[in-house]
Amino acid sequence: MLLRIGVAYTLFIGAQVGVWVALLVYAYQHGGATAAGVMALVQLVPGALLAPYLGGLSDLRRAGRVLVGGYAAFAGSTAIVAVVISVGGPRLAVFALAPLINLAICVPRPAQAVLLPSIVESAEELAAANAGQGWLESAATLIVPIMVALLLAAGGPALATAGMAALAGLAALVVLTIGGPLPFASSTDRSTDGRALSSLRLIARQPATLVLVAVLGAQYILVGALDLIFVVLAFGVLGMGQGGPGYLTAAFGAGGLLAILITASLVGRQRLASALIVGGLAAPGVLLLLAVHSTLASAFVLIALAGVGRSLFDVTGRTLLQRTAPPDLLARVFGLLESLLNAGLAIGVVLVPPLVALGGAKAALIGTGLVMLGVLATTQGRLRTLDAAATVPLIEIHLLRSIPLFAPLPAPALESLARALTPLSLPAGTVVIREGDPGDCYYALAGGELRVERGGVAITTLRRREGVGEIALIRDTPRTATVIAQTDVDLYTLDREPFLLAMTGHASARQTADAIAQSRLDETESATTAGRTTTTDVTPDTR
């Protein structure tokens, strides 16, 4: 099942990138850079407005059903557009139907984030699946644009769009029989405008966080502009023909794939500002070089380097944001970043046509590069200050990573959670948790031994890389066991609020935590019924 989901996701990502390129080429052929900009905007604006609602469908329906529906809607809307183009339908109809494609694209990714934890067999498998998803996305961004380029060269936008509809339809068929877990939320669990405004007010009180969010959002001006610049370069400068934009997009994707080798080494680094600024300078700097030397060979090399720089900037910036944003605001901070993402794409799209009209592709490259360089020039000092103030709790990160309960969390989220830990040393004989008391925190054991008792009977002994206390927090029930320091112990306490925020803020961790808690409760009930006490409120090291 996991293989089927991965195959379908790869097809989806490839179709998403491919149909975007095909429609931009169609628009450019029927009205130049201005028409291509309009095509991008009519897709981005509805998606920016409705994406939060569409992404929340998996809170109300089985994630597998939502995933299939999203892929099918994507395939159907793309096929309709392909038919209109192939029969020579009015351009207005193509522009009017194109937003339906982007709205369908907003559905599958959130659904998959909920679905994956329900079908893997271990936390290690889940971590591998999440990591593999990133590789698949980068690979699809590299391979499918080449296929689109060939389809554009063979039959123009009509054939290329039809090909992407087929990929999306195949993705739906691959996961057709997957149902997925029951939804977590009821129909009343919906965000309101009042809550959104409250979130913005809270984030506004964190000026350093706002600066970093704004800088990260600004990169999408570059990304949005490049989508059009690739079309202009291919047709107006390099003479590559209809397949050119696809090949250039593939070069950018190849750079992003190469950047994974670099970004993997950044997890746990004490300072990230230098890598952030280097990545931020690389992409616009390369565009300026491309404006000076626009040959076919240099275009592929420089665009790939731009992809490396942009990926390095994005991953480093998001990691730094996890380190510095208050844990209780992380979800809302990243929600704001999603809004700025769409706004940046739209600005980039609007920026290119007048620059092309002013001085062709060279002006578009220079103007777009200068915008990003200006953003970095005005904020690099504050970014370095922000980075210097951030702490990286390396020991705590490694401790949490070794506890199965937290294994599904991505590295930046794990780092943020580690910053919320409080060290606690207790002498032997101290009662750490008393059976029947309310649960107020989780304990991670860093050194020493803890004895677990239930009803006065010793159950087990906990050592380093084990944790205790999750059931009372997850289920909101009294403590199910007594825990006593058998030796002098070194603990880290994690308060209820950041613990629950971590478990509910990431779909994979939420599912895993719920499964662990339910398993412990089932075992406890079974042991009680049988007159045996064999389990307790603990998270053992199961490796």
Side-chain angles (χ1 to χ4, degrees), residues 54-154:
L54 295 172
L57 290 174
S58 294
D59 285 335
L60 307 173
R61 301 287 185 272
R62 286 184 179 271
R65 300 293 87 198
V66 175
L67 186 66
V68 173
Y71 287 158
F74 180 23
S77 56
T78 304
I80 292 172
V81 172
V83 169
V84 174
I85 295 175
S86 65
V87 300
R91 283 176 290 175
L92 182 60
V94 176
F95 278 78
L97 291 169
L100 297 178
I101 298 175
N102 206 50
L103 290 175
I105 287 171
C106 296
V107 176
R109 252 186 296 255
Q112 179 146 314
V114 175
L115 179 61
L116 275 180
S118 70
I119 55 106
V120 297
E121 297 180 357
S122 67
E124 290 77 13
E125 187 178 2
L126 178 60
N130 286 329
Q133 183 171 300
W135 280 91
L136 290 173
E137 187 164 342
S138 296
T141 305
L142 167 64
I143 296 170
V144 175
I146 297 175
M147 184 173 78
V148 172
L150 296 174
L151 292 173
L152 285 169

Side-chain angles (χ1 to χ4, degrees), residues 67 72 190 192 196 243 280:
L67 186 66
R190 292 191 175 98
T192 64

